[in-house]
């Protein structure tokens, strides 16, 4: 891309910064509103199997994330590093919190979206639609009204080596759902994704962004209607290299997406602002830290962070 200014900073800060910060900057002024010039990508922990689903637990001041194949939820604290938070996790993937600060988790092998009460008790929030089990809930976001929006691709189902078919599938497709815990109602909102994955609301919750990590490798944007359904769904941006997995929106309405080469940041009009290059391919990310201005990145076998100049939208 001709308008991309490649900045490769060879300076490595002393202390924890293990990697020089590498950025590809398409819009220098706006990129600096996202990432300070002196920011560096820091490897916080490694030797995991496959990391996903980071979410910042505000009340506790710590990060929770998934090691999917290891069947564990992990916890990272600014002082104290990484410990096991919950095991088994039923191959937990995406995590978020509800308006009460409770942890909400998508489970591959549990084939459900689970809620952890403040007491620590974990219970099923929803595990079926129209009497059929979900495929393998992947990622989740909770709207300020408490409704739970999640995706259900088939990545967590085993493929039969002979037939190449997914085993145990009950749903006729890979859908985007909305679950209302108050009424117990679950609605299939969008049915034409190949493999819907990360999802996030705009700051005013009038738009919903959903990644398709299947063959389209793009992010679509929907208008959220007052009745909780969505319309539209045009392509917002393409991700290259790799595919979009987890996505987040910042307070200014920019979309931050995982990609093969790192974290790619898009302006609200869908144009590329720039990229934070990461040594391993990120699958997900979240804003957190005391001031909400640390970006945590789960990337293959490791957990990374970088100080950023803006906080995330929502909680
Ligand atoms: Mg995902």
């Amino acid at each position: 891309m001709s308008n991309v200014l490649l900045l490769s900073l060879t300076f490595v800060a002393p202390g924890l910064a293990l990697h020089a910060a590498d950025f590809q900057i398409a819009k220098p002024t706006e990129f600096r509103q996202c990432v300070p010039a002196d920011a560096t990508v820091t490897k916080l922990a490694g030797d995991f199997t496959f990391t996903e689903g980071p979410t910042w637990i505000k009340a506790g001041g710590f990060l929770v994330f998934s090691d999917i194949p290891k069947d564990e939820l992990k916890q990272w604290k600014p002082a104290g590093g990484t410990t096991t938070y919950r095991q088994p996790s039923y191959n937990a993937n995406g995590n978020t919190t509800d308006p009460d600060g409770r942890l909400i988790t998508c489970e591959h092998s549990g084939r459900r979206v689970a809620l952890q009460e403040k007491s620590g008790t974990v219970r099923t929030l929803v595990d079926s639609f129209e009497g059929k089990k979900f495929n393998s809930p992947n990622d989740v976001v909770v709207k300020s009204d408490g409704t739970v929006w999640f995706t259900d691709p088939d990545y967590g189902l085993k493929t039969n080596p002979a037939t190449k078919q997914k085993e145990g599938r009950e749903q006729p497709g890979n859908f985007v759902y909305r679950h209302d815990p108050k009424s117990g109602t679950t609605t299939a909102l969008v049915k034409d994704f190949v493999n819907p994955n990360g999802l996030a609301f705009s700051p005013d919750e009038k738009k919903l962004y959903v990644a398709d990590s299947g063959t389209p490798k793009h992010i679509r944007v929907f208008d959220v209607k007052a009745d909780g359904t969505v319309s539209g769904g045009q392509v917002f941006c393409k991700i290259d290299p790799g595919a979009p997995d987890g996505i987040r929106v910042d307070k200014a309405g920019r979309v931050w997406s995982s990609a093969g080469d790192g974290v790619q940041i898009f302006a609200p009009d869908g144009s590329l602002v720039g990229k934070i290059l990461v040594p391993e391919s990120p699958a997900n990310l979240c804003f957190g830290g005391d001031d909400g201005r640390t970006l945590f990145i789960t990337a293959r076998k490791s957990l990374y962070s970088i100080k950023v100049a803006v906080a995330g939208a929502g909680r």
Side-chain angles (χ1 to χ4, degrees):
M1 195 177 291
S2 61
N3 64 339
V4 172
L5 170 66
L6 179 64
L7 271 190
S8 286
L9 303 182
T10 52
F11 169 74
V12 180
L16 286 174
L18 302 178
H19 299 276
D22 290 303
F23 307 117
Q24 283 184 10
I25 302 173
K27 297 182 175 183
T29 305
E30 193 165 2
F31 190 78
R32 285 295 164 241
Q33 293 164 5
C34 300
V35 182
D38 61 350
T40 55
V41 173
T42 301
K43 183 171 173 174
L44 299 175
D47 297 325
F48 303 109
T49 314
F50 189 96
T51 58
E52 247 282 6
T55 193
W56 183 255
I57 308 295
K58 230 183 224 174
F62 59 82
L63 185 83
V64 167
F65 62 101
S66 300
D67 187 337
I68 302 176
K70 199 84 190 293
D71 200 20
E72 287 182 346
L73 281 175
K74 309 298 291 187
Q75 178 184 46
W76 178 88
K77 287 183 174 176
T82 311
T83 52
T84 297
Y85 183 73
R86 210 162 84 195
Q87 187 190 41
S89 68
Y90 302 99
N91 304 101
N93 190 337
N95 295 286
T96 192
T97 52
D98 74 0
D100 294 327
R102 296 177 297 185
L103 182 65
I104 309 272
T105 298
C106 288
E107 297 177 354
H108 274 190
S109 57
R111 298 177 75 168
R112 64 175 183 169
V113 180
L115 179 148
Q116 181 174 299
E117 298 286 2
K118 291 283 172 66
S119 65
T121 305
V122 180
R123 63 177 170 86
T124 299
L125 204 53
V126 58
D127 61 2
S128 63
F129 176 67
E130 294 182 335
K132 302 181 186 81
K133 281 185 187 176
F134 292 127
N135 302 318
S136 52
N138 188 294
D139 216 342
V140 57
V141 64
V142 180
K143 201 160 172 270
S144 57
D145 65 3
T147 52
V148 178
W149 304 54
F150 61 98
T151 54
D152 187 39
D154 58 13
Y155 294 121
L157 297 178
K158 286 194 174 66
T159 303
N160 183 310
T163 64
K164 307 288 183 210
Q165 297 296 308
K166 293 286 185 178
E167 292 180 335
R169 172 189 278 282
E170 296 188 11
Q171 292 296 336
N174 304 334
F175 302 153
V176 182
Y177 295 95
R178 172 186 180 273
H179 176 73
D180 184 348
K182 288 178 195 139
S183 66
T185 311
T186 307
T187 309
L189 296 172
V190 194
K191 295 185 170 181
D192 65 350
F193 274 79
V194 177
N195 265 314
N197 207 312
L199 66 180
F201 288 106
S202 61
D204 62 7
E205 298 186 328
K206 289 183 176 168
K207 286 179 183 164
L208 176 71
Y209 298 93
V210 186
D212 195 330
S213 55
T215 40
K217 304 186 193 320
H218 60 205
I219 297 171
R220 293 166 65 188
V221 59
F222 296 86
D223 294 315
V224 178
K225 298 200 279 192
D227 65 358
T229 61
V230 298
S231 61
Q234 66 271 26
V235 174
F236 171 74
C237 68
K238 280 276 220 186
I239 296 298
D240 181 48
D245 195 330
I247 61 173
R248 304 281 173 171
V249 173
D250 72 22
K251 279 197 184 308
R254 300 180 201 96
V255 176
W256 300 49
S257 177
S258 55
D261 55 357
V263 175
Q264 302 187 357
I265 306 168
F266 296 87
D269 68 0
S271 61
L272 181 68
V273 175
K275 302 177 177 183
I276 301 167
L277 302 180
V278 179
E280 298 169 77
S281 292
N284 214 330
L285 58 147
C286 77
F287 293 90
D290 289 342
D291 63 358
R293 293 182 177 200
T294 299
L295 188 73
F296 293 96
I297 304 162
T298 50
R300 307 296 136 165
K301 296 184 184 309
S302 305
L303 172 68
Y304 295 86
S305 76
I306 181 170
K307 280 301 290 180
V308 290
V310 63
R315 292 178 300 282

